[in-house]
Amino acid sequence: MRDRIFAAAGVICVVVALLLFGVLHVVPPTAELDWSRRTISQYALMENGWAFDTAVLLLATGSGAILVALLRAGLAGRGAVIGILLWIAGLLGVVWFEKHNWSAGPSISGDIHRVASVVAFLSLPVGALLAALPRRDERGARLVAAGAVIALLCFTPILWAVLAEPWTGVRWWRAIPLGGVERLLGLAEVITVILLARWAWKPALRRA
């Protein structure tokens, strides 16, 4: 029973976070940003930036609840737990340390923010794969693995842009529509989290 409570609470937090992210795209002043080029974190620097911070904190909270559900269902080994905890820590770091405000210039906070973002984006799919692959005979595990692989594939344009910069001479954040890539990546990560919750829910139903 408690497995289902943690899984359901986690999904509610994640869905509300997703709705808040969506609202930021349609409500001024954040709606005025070029979403294809400007990263999601830019919203935190604007008047309604509290909505961005709230959404990220809800996503971290929901992920924590889902991790508890996975542990109670016996679906998360040490590697998976570390991966998901790093994802949560990365999300908290994104909120605590604001991105560079280029109107004022680069900052240490912005550098830490960037590292926290990379840690979050990579650790969740890796953690999800570590949880799913040992149980790949289960449909739920295969869905989680598929979500994780898609998330990693969504990260590859960023990796390509960084690695190609010395040869192309184009700064990596200009070589690709960074905002669009990041939003697609973020959506894939959120879907993976929801798939983890669904997987944790099924064993609870079978035991019930």
Side-chain angles (χ1 to χ4, degrees):
M1 179 63 178
R2 290 183 180 178
D3 303 14
R4 287 178 284 174
I5 292 174
F6 280 111
V11 169
I12 290 172
C13 288
V14 171
V15 170
V16 173
L18 191 59
L19 290 174
L20 281 174
F21 284 129
V23 168
L24 285 169
H25 287 75
V26 297
V27 174
T30 47
E32 299 167 6
L33 290 180
D34 180 2
W35 62 265
S36 67
R37 287 289 175 183
R38 305 304 292 270
T39 63
I40 304 176
S41 300
Q42 185 68 30
Y43 294 147
L45 303 179
M46 305 188 73
E47 294 176 11
N48 53 351
W50 62 267
F52 169 84
D53 291 340
T54 301
V56 176
L57 291 175
L58 280 171
L59 181 55
T61 301
S63 298
I66 292 167
L67 175 58
V68 173
L70 289 168
L71 287 169
R72 293 183 63 86
L75 298 175
R78 181 178 300 177
V81 170
I82 292 173
I84 297 173
L85 286 177
L86 285 174
W87 153 256
I88 295 170
L91 292 175
L92 296 177
V94 164
V95 173
W96 190 264
F97 300 97
E98 287 189 342
K99 69 165 292 178
H100 295 304
N101 185 348
W102 291 109
S103 63
S107 63
I108 294 176
S109 174
D111 290 334
I112 297 174
H113 175 94
R114 184 172 291 173
V115 171
S117 300
V118 173
V119 169
F121 282 140
L122 290 178
S123 59
L124 174 69
V126 170
L129 282 174
L130 290 174
L133 289 180
R135 298 173 178 268
R136 54 187 175 274
D137 57 318
E138 299 180 22
R139 184 172 182 271
R142 292 194 297 271
L143 289 173
V144 168
V149 169
I150 291 171
L152 289 173
L153 289 174
C154 289
F155 187 82
T156 55
I158 298 175
L159 181 62
W160 172 85
V162 172
L163 295 177
E165 184 176 328
W167 291 274
T168 62
V170 179
R171 303 308 299 266
W172 66 271
W173 60 84
R174 296 182 182 276
I176 57 174
L178 181 58
V181 171
E182 187 184 80
R183 283 163 175 77
L184 187 62
L185 171 58
L187 181 60
E189 304 256 345
V190 168
I191 291 173
T192 302
V193 172
I194 293 174
L195 288 172
L196 283 167
R198 178 184 180 278
W199 188 29
W201 179 281
K202 290 299 184 179
L205 287 177
R206 286 200 295 268
R207 286 198 301 272

